[in-house]
Amino acid sequence: MRRLLVLLLCSLASLFALVALASPTFAAPDSLAVVTTPPIGEGEPFIPGVRLVADLPESYVEEELFIEGLADIYSYEDPAVRGEVVVIQEDVPYKTRMIVRRPTGYFNGTVVIEWWNTTATFDTAPVWDPSAEYFARNGYIYIGFTNANQGLTHLTSGCRLFGILPPTCGTRYSSLSMPDDGLAYDIASQLANLVKTQSDDNPLYPDYKVTQVMQAGQSQQGGSMIAYANNFHTDVNDGYFVQSASGGRSVCGTGNVLPPGCNPQATDRSLRRDLPVPVYRMLTENDVDRNTNSAQEDDGLFRYYEVAGVSHVHVHEDVELIPGGVLGPDPLFLEDACLFPPNTAADGPVLGSHNYNAMWHNMLQTIRDGTPAPHAPLIDRDGAGEIVRDEFGNATGGISPTMLRVPRATYGPQNEPDVANLPGPLILLGNLFCFLSGTVAEFDEETLAELYPQHYLYVGAVKQAGVQLMQDGFLLGPDFQKELATARALNPDPKCGLGFELVAVLPPLLWAARRRRGGRARRSS
């Protein structure tokens, strides 16, 4: 049965949070953290992510664990001053959960910690979903953790999705507690430190020796990552990857509920560029289309990227929103929520996920041997700040994925909800999903024939574009091969399926034939 959406909304985000730049005047990240197993027989686990471990080509193990300890709550000064935070509550008890996905074979020494996104009011995994196959084929360990009360409340309430579906978690999570979202900053540091130690509570020791930890978050939790990297960096973290976040979040408070002494004001929307570890900030065209003041200049180990033709949302294919029999006889699938065909980063047709994978690879190379990450231009804008588009309506500039360089459609930055096809409880979420996903308006046959008179010409153009992206450092070999295979499979006339290959092999064969004919002529004379 197709996977419930639960996790797609991974990409739906709080887009206008605030940022804070502050000094590391916080508790040591090696404060005690205790890891335990969840209770048995009290309910099913709630697993974020639509890319299932069981579907990966490589063998991976998935395990849910609880982590608890003491953490501090911080605030900005009043008025807020960049580079200054103060402790307003010390040693606050917390207990949250994490999921560890680890290889049974080769391990490359790297742990990626994702701050699960909670915009949909439950945990989603928008960092995992687009890059799961990359992580698996390269031997990463992935850890995601519940870091906000939106997600925690869903768990402790029994996991009743959308207020429609029956609860599935029972009392499994009833012991979890996180009095303030600001505790997440210390929790993330304690978790990063834990996996590098030989502690009995380290779920990876002694089987896996961790040499580097990368922290990542997308959208709303990308804003948390901005605040975290700006204010709480320690040497237990070796890199930060902030995806699709327009600005940072406060370091204290849960929604509108603020603890005593909390000043939620932030001073900047930007991410620090002076850290001694790689820091990436990546926005999609959908993000750039809605934000005009998020761009930053590269500096040192900091890189800012804009990816054209890609949406904020990562998945849409084969994602079941509501099973059949709940609101009607038939299931409701995510691809049916919008008026126009969606374009998402991991399901395409413009596969921004392949560019993300290259960024992960580049960051790891910088950590290991200091290889500088590539730079990239910004998406083009005109004098009025609007995105510049080519004759097909596609954005120009930025990192341009293969399928945008060799287009078969117009890829718009935003979609619209199909309100008539959405049940009342899902209209709000449908609006947000479609607003944050892209659109696909396929070219007519006449345009395609004009652009690519023969299918081999299209395949050749895809190959040329992919090779250029690999040279630029924004596409990896295995993903290039997937794109090339997809291009070949699009052949509308199977009788011409060997066209591209014949173009490659016929010239040398004809040359050899001419050589043989010439040799026979000389011998006969």
Side-chain angles (χ1 to χ4, degrees):
M1 173 168 157
R2 299 203 240 181
R3 180 84 167 167
L4 285 175
L5 163 95
V6 331
L7 322 170
L8 156 212
L9 296 164
C10 36
S11 302
L12 309 182
S14 155
L15 306 170
F16 305 103
L18 297 171
V19 79
L21 299 178
S23 63
T25 56
F26 47 85
D30 58 355
S31 298
L32 178 65
V34 177
V35 174
T36 57
T37 56
I40 298 174
E42 295 189 19
E44 296 296 321
F46 184 83
I47 308 297
V50 300
R51 298 299 194 246
L52 304 180
V53 166
D55 295 335
L56 296 173
E58 295 76 15
S59 176
Y60 262 64
V61 173
E62 180 174 77
E63 182 180 20
E64 183 182 52
L65 298 166
F66 290 172
I67 180 171
E68 58 186 298
L70 302 175
D72 295 343
I73 303 175
Y74 305 85
S75 176
Y76 306 114
E77 296 281 8
D78 190 7
V81 177
R82 180 187 297 179
E84 296 183 10
V85 290
V86 294
V87 176
I88 57 174
Q89 290 187 33
E90 293 183 316
D91 295 337
V92 178
Y94 73 84
K95 185 176 183 181
T96 187
R97 61 87 179 239
M98 61 180 173
I99 289 178
V100 180
R101 294 165 180 157
R102 61 183 189 273
T104 60
Y106 168 70
F107 171 53
N108 72 357
T110 307
V111 172
V112 170
I113 297 177
E114 177 176 6
W115 296 49
W116 281 327
N117 183 278
T118 57
T119 305
T121 71
F122 49 80
D123 289 331
T124 61
V127 171
W128 165 262
D129 280 332
S131 295
E133 291 184 359
Y134 165 78
F135 292 147
R137 71 174 181 247
N138 289 281
Y140 286 76
I141 286 177
Y142 166 91
I143 298 176
F145 78 105
T146 299
N147 57 85
N149 274 279
Q150 277 184 308
L152 199 72
T153 299
H154 169 255
L155 297 175
T156 57
S157 300
C159 309
R160 185 177 177 84
L161 280 175
F162 313 124
I164 300 174
L165 301 180
T168 59
C169 298
T171 58
R172 180 184 185 89
Y173 301 113
S174 60
S175 66
L176 302 188
S177 173
M178 194 172 167
D180 189 88
D181 286 354
L183 296 171
Y185 301 106
D186 269 0
I187 295 172
S189 295
Q190 292 173 17
L191 179 54
N193 178 76
L194 178 64
V195 298
K196 284 186 171 181
T197 70
Q198 297 181 9
S199 166
D200 291 339
D201 283 293
N202 180 358
L204 306 180
Y205 178 78
D207 298 322
Y208 303 89
K209 181 181 179 181
V210 177
T211 54
Q212 50 266 329
V213 172
M214 304 175 184
Q215 301 259 3
Q218 195 258 9
S219 193
Q220 177 172 271
Q221 267 62 24
S224 299
M225 283 296 305
I226 290 177
Y228 180 60
N230 284 343
N231 301 333
F232 302 98
H233 169 70
T234 76
D235 58 9
V236 299
N237 293 319
D238 300 284
Y240 302 93
F241 194 172
V242 178
Q243 301 180 3
S244 293
S246 61
R249 302 181 75 193
S250 175
V251 296
C252 55
T254 301
N256 295 323
V257 180
L258 306 180
C262 173
N263 171 27
Q265 179 183 355
T267 59
D268 202 352
R269 294 170 61 87
S270 61
L271 186 57
R272 282 180 62 175
R273 300 180 298 155
D274 61 348
L275 292 178
V277 298
V279 180
Y280 292 178
R281 185 178 185 184
M282 184 278 300
L283 269 67
T284 68
E285 180 185 332
N286 177 280
D287 305 312
V288 173
D289 189 55
R290 294 178 284 100
N291 299 281
T292 59
N293 58 348
S294 294
Q296 296 185 247
E297 293 184 2
D298 292 355
D299 186 15
L301 298 178
F302 174 83
R303 295 292 183 270
Y304 174 83
Y305 297 125
E306 294 181 351
V307 188
V310 177
S311 76
H312 187 91
V313 173
H314 288 152
V315 294
H316 69 272
E317 291 184 350
D318 203 29
V319 178
E320 191 177 74
L321 282 167
I322 301 295
V326 176
L327 296 177
D330 299 321
L332 177 66
F333 293 99
L334 188 59
E335 56 258 48
D336 300 323
C338 303
L339 281 175
F340 308 104
N343 173 37
T344 55
D347 287 334
V350 181
L351 293 170
S353 57
H354 290 176
N355 307 117
Y356 305 170
N357 295 344
M359 294 175 195
W360 282 112
H361 172 80
N362 296 338
M363 181 178 287
L364 184 57
Q365 290 302 110
T366 300
I367 293 170
R368 285 177 167 173
D369 59 23
T371 302
H375 303 274
L378 303 184
I379 292 175
D380 296 328
R381 292 183 180 272
D382 61 22
E386 298 296 323
I387 292 176
V388 176
R389 303 190 177 278
D390 61 20
E391 66 270 31
F392 303 113
N394 291 321
T396 63
I399 297 172
S400 184
T402 306
M403 297 310 167
L404 194 64
R405 299 183 182 206
V406 191
R408 299 179 67 89
T410 297
Y411 306 105
Q414 296 178 9
N415 214 317
E416 298 179 30
D418 186 0
V419 177
N421 196 39
L422 288 172
L426 293 182
I427 289 178
L428 182 61
L429 290 176
N431 284 344
L432 187 55
F433 164 72
C434 297
F435 177 70
L436 297 175
S437 69
T439 61
V440 181
E442 295 184 353
F443 295 160
D444 57 33
E445 293 184 6
E446 182 179 352
T447 302
L448 288 172
E450 183 178 349
L451 289 171
Y452 319 111
Q454 298 292 332
H455 184 64
Y456 73 83
L457 295 175
Y458 171 71
V459 175
V462 169
K463 182 175 183 180
Q464 183 178 12
V467 168
Q468 184 61 59
L469 272 169
M470 287 194 293
Q471 292 174 349
D472 293 340
F474 295 109
L475 184 64
L476 301 177
D479 292 330
F480 167 65
Q481 293 300 326
K482 288 182 181 180
E483 293 181 355
L484 201 56
T486 299
R488 288 173 174 149
L490 288 173
N491 186 5
D493 185 358
K495 291 180 294 184
C496 300
L498 295 178
F500 176 70
E501 288 76 6
L502 288 175
V503 166
V505 301
L506 275 180
L509 289 175
L510 292 173
W511 175 81
R514 286 196 297 270
R515 286 288 302 268
R516 287 195 297 272
R517 286 197 300 270
R520 287 196 298 269
R522 285 192 295 272
R523 287 194 296 272
S524 63
S525 63

